[in-house]
Amino acid sequence: MTIAEVVPSLLSGLEVPGVDNTLNLPVARRVVLLLVDGLGHELLREHAEHAPFLSSMAGRETSAGFPSTTATSIASIGTGLLAGEHGIVGYTFCVGDEVLNALTWSRVGDHRHDLRKALVPEVVQPHPTLFERAAAAGVAVSAVAPRDHRGSGLSRAALRGSWYRGVVGFGDLALAATAALRQDRSFCYAYHPDLDTIGHFYGPGSEEWLLQLEFVDSLAERIAARLPSGAVLAVTADHGMITTGERIDFDTEPLLWQGVRVIAGEPRVRYLHTESDEVLHVWREFLGDRADVLSREDAVEAGWFGPVGPLALDRIGDVVVAMKDTAVVVRSQAEPVLSKLIGIHGSRTPPELSIPVLWHVSP
């Protein structure tokens, strides 16, 4: 079971055709789905005393899918598909001759260059979203998320079909999410990013992270307290997080450059577009037991990306590097900020893949 099944399961009580409650979630005609960026199942279980409300909710564990990264998971939430079908295969990936940063929707290394015209989000991710399908069935669909995400490439690719309410903090997020349920047959997707941000800069489980978790717990409790009778609050995440261990620097290791035409992805999962078949063997030998290094064909056959269609196939890269334990492949020169992060995610380890699906039914 995966993150792609969360929204279809919640929509099953809203008379939306073609959706199934495969996760056996409670059904209702008014639903809020709160996605807390970075709230891994293992982290929540380990620090349950800092999140008493979340920990008291009914719930289950599911998988974020691979790669365990925000852009991919939000596209899975929005489409009900995994990366191999919706094609948002990572934080950065090749689309033709461009390397796209899916969060900023910009050419990698040039945040001033707007690619929304060159790489139209509705073309990069052409599948109808679940929000479009729900709206067509008469459901009032809302997205409550940071104001500066309004109209972004990723929002257009993954969340189109929803009425977007931009917010700036906990207070307006909680009020907007519950206000979105005024109409019968209503669904609200709400997103909060700060737990992930704190984890990246201070580490998951740090004092700063734990305090942020307490704030998130209070946010969920306040949303639940304002729900109309019979409404459902569901809480999930896009991935977990680990603390960075050994850093292997691509930019200062010439052996790793040989035969690599383009490197994409992020520190925990790298896509190598190559000019030589030797790249696979060089990287596999160099990284040893620090990574699973597979050809694209083997990674697809192993089911890492779920079913894979032609849209995603070339974006995956000729070689896929999935880091194990806590090691990362950084780029100190090309990605200086990313290379220094303390908390990290993206690969296939349980702390990164495992996410909670929690629910509360308003009395």
Side-chain angles (χ1 to χ4, degrees):
M1 294 185 177
T2 69
I3 193 173
E5 298 168 86
V6 173
V7 173
S9 294
L10 292 170
L11 290 177
S12 63
L14 288 164
E15 303 170 25
V16 178
V19 297
D20 296 307
N21 193 357
T22 54
L23 294 181
N24 295 316
L25 301 182
V27 296
R29 295 176 69 84
R30 291 180 169 91
V31 177
V32 172
L33 172 62
L34 174 63
L35 190 148
V36 180
D37 201 321
L39 182 66
H41 171 77
E42 294 194 6
L43 286 168
L44 179 59
R45 183 178 58 187
E46 183 179 353
H47 302 291
E49 69 276 14
H50 292 273
F53 180 75
L54 291 172
S55 299
S56 73
M57 295 172 72
R60 64 183 306 160
E61 176 186 2
T62 191
S63 173
F66 178 79
S68 52
T69 197
T70 299
T72 300
S73 291
I74 289 179
S76 294
I77 281 278
T79 63
L81 305 170
L82 294 175
E85 291 183 292
H86 62 60
I88 307 296
V89 298
Y91 170 63
T92 72
F93 55 91
C94 283
V95 182
D97 295 329
E98 301 279 8
V99 180
L100 173 67
N101 181 317
L103 292 185
T104 62
W105 216 265
S106 62
R107 178 187 291 119
V108 167
D110 183 5
H111 293 270
R112 298 166 300 174
H113 182 75
D114 189 343
L115 292 178
R116 281 176 289 185
K117 294 180 180 178
L119 290 175
V120 178
E122 294 82 357
V123 174
V124 175
Q125 195 302 99
H127 297 281
T129 70
L130 291 164
F131 303 143
E132 289 176 306
R133 291 169 56 188
V139 178
V141 183
S142 302
V144 176
R147 183 177 294 178
D148 58 1
H149 293 187
R150 184 196 303 273
S152 72
L154 182 59
S155 294
R156 286 170 53 186
L159 307 178
R160 59 181 180 265
S162 60
W163 179 79
Y164 196 98
R165 167 70 185 272
V167 296
V168 295
F170 282 119
D172 56 348
L173 189 155
L175 292 175
T178 51
L181 302 191
R182 290 173 181 158
Q183 183 174 324
D184 185 39
R185 296 183 65 219
S186 53
F187 179 90
C188 176
Y189 162 83
Y191 169 78
H192 186 68
D194 291 354
L195 188 69
D196 177 73
T197 304
I198 291 286
H200 280 311
F201 284 96
Y202 296 96
S206 64
E207 185 176 0
E208 293 84 356
W209 188 91
L210 292 173
L211 186 56
Q212 187 67 31
L213 177 61
E214 294 174 8
F215 292 149
V216 168
D217 189 68
S218 180
L219 169 68
E221 186 173 20
R222 280 159 171 73
I223 292 174
R226 287 170 169 79
L227 292 177
S229 179
V232 168
L233 167 65
V235 180
T236 192
D238 49 352
H239 53 73
M241 185 175 284
I242 63 170
T243 299
T244 302
E246 180 185 4
R247 287 176 166 85
I248 298 143
D249 192 351
F250 175 85
D251 289 348
T252 61
E253 183 51 67
L255 181 65
L256 298 181
W257 305 346
Q258 298 175 20
V260 176
R261 179 172 54 85
V262 176
I263 179 171
E266 55 194 295
R268 287 289 288 170
V269 53
R270 290 294 183 180
Y271 297 135
L272 310 177
H273 297 263
T274 68
E275 298 172 336
S276 167
D277 293 339
E278 292 301 310
V279 172
L280 174 68
H281 307 294
V282 169
W283 278 68
R284 185 174 286 169
E285 182 176 352
F286 184 90
L287 292 175
D289 61 4
R290 295 175 291 186
D292 289 318
V293 182
L294 271 63
S295 68
R296 173 174 52 208
E297 293 74 19
D298 287 345
V300 169
E301 186 176 352
W304 283 10
F305 301 91
V308 177
L311 182 74
L313 197 59
D314 289 342
R315 300 176 185 180
I316 291 172
D318 302 298
V319 175
V320 183
V321 181
M323 304 305 293
K324 297 161 66 175
D325 299 323
T326 61
V328 292
V329 175
V330 300
R331 301 200 61 192
S332 59
Q333 297 170 25
E335 301 168 349
V337 175
L338 202 60
S339 298
K340 295 176 182 177
L341 295 180
I342 297 173
I344 204 75
H345 54 81
S347 195
R348 301 179 63 250
T349 68
E352 294 164 280
L353 284 176
S354 179
I355 57 172
V357 182
L358 313 172
W359 58 85
H360 165 85
V361 181
S362 181

